Amino acid sequence: MPTSRAPARPTTPRTAGARPASRRRGPGWVPREHGAWAMLVVPVLVGGVLTSPTWRTALLLVTWLTAYLAFHATGLWLRASRRPRYLPPVRAYATALVLLGGTLLATAPGLLRWAPVYGALLATSLVCSLRRADRSWLNDGVTVGAAVLMTVVSAGLGHDGTPPATALTGTWVPPGADDPAAWAVTAVLAGYFFGTVPYVKTLLRERGNRAVLSVSVAWHALLVVAAVAVLAVQVTHERAAGSIAVAVALVVAAAGLLARAVLVPRRRPWPSPRAIGFGEIAATLAVTAAALAVPALAAPSLVG
């Protein structure tokens, strides 16, 4: 007796290399702002090098990157009107952050003295996300400020960092905040990373906007003026040759950034995102090298 079979269900051909819908990763897990990683990593590494890095420096870096992932996922969740599908990465990264941050604070409770500063920066940025103004100048500035300030925070965790980050009481000064060299290096990194905000806008979202181009060029011109002023001080006070060489390097770096801000947005055809990324890598490496040499500017003069 013949058995009857149900008609075969039509199948939809699967595109080669495509993931099944059930295995696709939801939104919020991987940030799309690839250029942010250098801004997150460089200040922590530079601050650690300034005062001789310890294992706490590595823990700070991992915690800081996890905090960024949690921050990005939370901002996306807020902009999406708190839809449930955006919540899993928020929970996952927040849990990891609590574990890592708790371990870091248990070994360096002095970092809690930075809490008011970073609390204010975080609150401002989250309000921007809630208002869907995450691409605003204010939010970009707050994000860059939080990142470059990690230079000082990281310096406070090194072998030579003062005051001791392992003590919670005894001083109100956050770890690293009383280190002039750390602030000088932070100023160099801030000049560069703040300048990337209008510069990148001239190449992507604000391409062809003359006002934004003017802001970018003016900012980088001010960096040249500041670098020339540093060189003039070094020469006037007859500093050692090494100090003058560092000041010259700062002038060269600032002039290169100014030339980039003027010429690249005028290039036709427009540079590809990949070319922009490689250019930023080169610029970041050059500025980082110059920043690490900045403490040499405090070398004694040749006279007196």
Side-chain angles (χ1 to χ4, degrees), residues 146-165:
V148 298
L149 191 57
M150 288 300 294
T151 309
V152 183
V153 178
S154 180
L157 290 182
H159 282 295
D160 304 324
T162 54

Side-chain angles (χ1 to χ4, degrees), residues 73-100:
T74 302
L76 190 61
W77 176 61
L78 291 174
R79 293 194 300 274
S81 301
R82 296 179 288 279
R83 295 176 186 170
R85 67 187 297 259
Y86 289 84
L87 196 55
V90 177
R91 287 196 297 253
Y93 290 136
T95 301
L97 180 59
V98 169
L99 295 175
L100 291 169

